[in-house]
């Protein structure tokens, strides 16, 4: 488990597991999420939530891992734009570790 900060002062955080990151990768949830301006704001977070909601409403939406990601991370009460930005950075770092073979699970 890795903690990501969700506010600037660092008083709020969310725990993200390797399974959460693998689910993000499986559904490619972060692909084309950010607009060309490169800013992560509340609109980007809303876009992610709507994309996930659409997946859950579809026939393939019975995946427990996706539901866990929603409950534990994306719809967490502390999740804000800064939290999403930190989640994006954590995902990029996690992917690099997976590509180099250093992806040892800390769970």
């Amino acid at each position: 488990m890795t903690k990501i900060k969700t506010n600037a002062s660092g008083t709020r955080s969310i725990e993200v597991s390797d399974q959460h990151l693998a689910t993000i990768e499986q559904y490619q949830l972060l692909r084309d999420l950010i607009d060309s301006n490169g800013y992560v704001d509340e609109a980007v977070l809303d876009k992610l939530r709507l994309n996930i909601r659409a997946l859950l409403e579809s026939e393939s939406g019975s995946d427990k891992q996706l539901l866990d990601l929603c409950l534990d991370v994306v719809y967490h009460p502390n999740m804000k734009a800064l939290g999403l930005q930190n989640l994006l950075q954590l995902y990029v770092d996690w992917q690099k570790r997976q590509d180099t073979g250093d992806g040892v699970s800390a769970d």
Side-chain angles (χ1 to χ4, degrees):
M1 287 276 197
T2 304
K3 284 190 177 185
I4 57 169
K5 292 181 187 178
T6 58
N7 66 355
S9 64
T11 58
R12 297 183 186 269
S13 63
I14 297 175
E15 289 189 352
V16 180
S17 70
D18 283 349
Q19 183 58 51
H20 292 137
L21 297 170
T23 302
I24 291 170
E25 181 177 49
Q26 176 185 355
Y27 287 98
Q28 298 182 358
L29 296 174
L30 303 179
R31 182 180 215 174
D32 300 327
L33 187 65
I34 301 173
D35 295 332
S36 61
N37 64 15
Y39 291 112
V40 177
D41 56 11
E42 294 298 321
V44 175
L45 180 58
D46 290 341
K47 183 178 176 182
L48 174 63
R49 288 176 174 167
L50 289 172
N51 289 344
I52 291 175
R53 185 177 302 158
L55 282 172
L56 289 171
E57 289 176 354
S58 71
E59 292 179 25
S60 64
S62 59
D63 184 10
K64 182 184 178 333
Q65 311 312 355
L66 186 58
L67 288 171
D68 288 345
L69 175 68
C70 286
L71 295 173
D72 298 342
V73 180
V74 177
Y75 284 95
H76 192 282
N78 291 339
M79 180 56 87
K80 305 290 181 220
L82 179 63
L84 180 56
Q85 183 174 347
N86 289 335
L87 178 63
L88 286 164
Q89 185 59 50
L90 176 64
Y91 177 74
V92 168
D93 294 343
W94 177 81
Q95 258 193 330
K96 287 178 185 175
R97 286 194 318 265
Q98 298 301 311
D99 292 343
T100 61
D102 294 338
V104 178
S105 176
D107 288 341

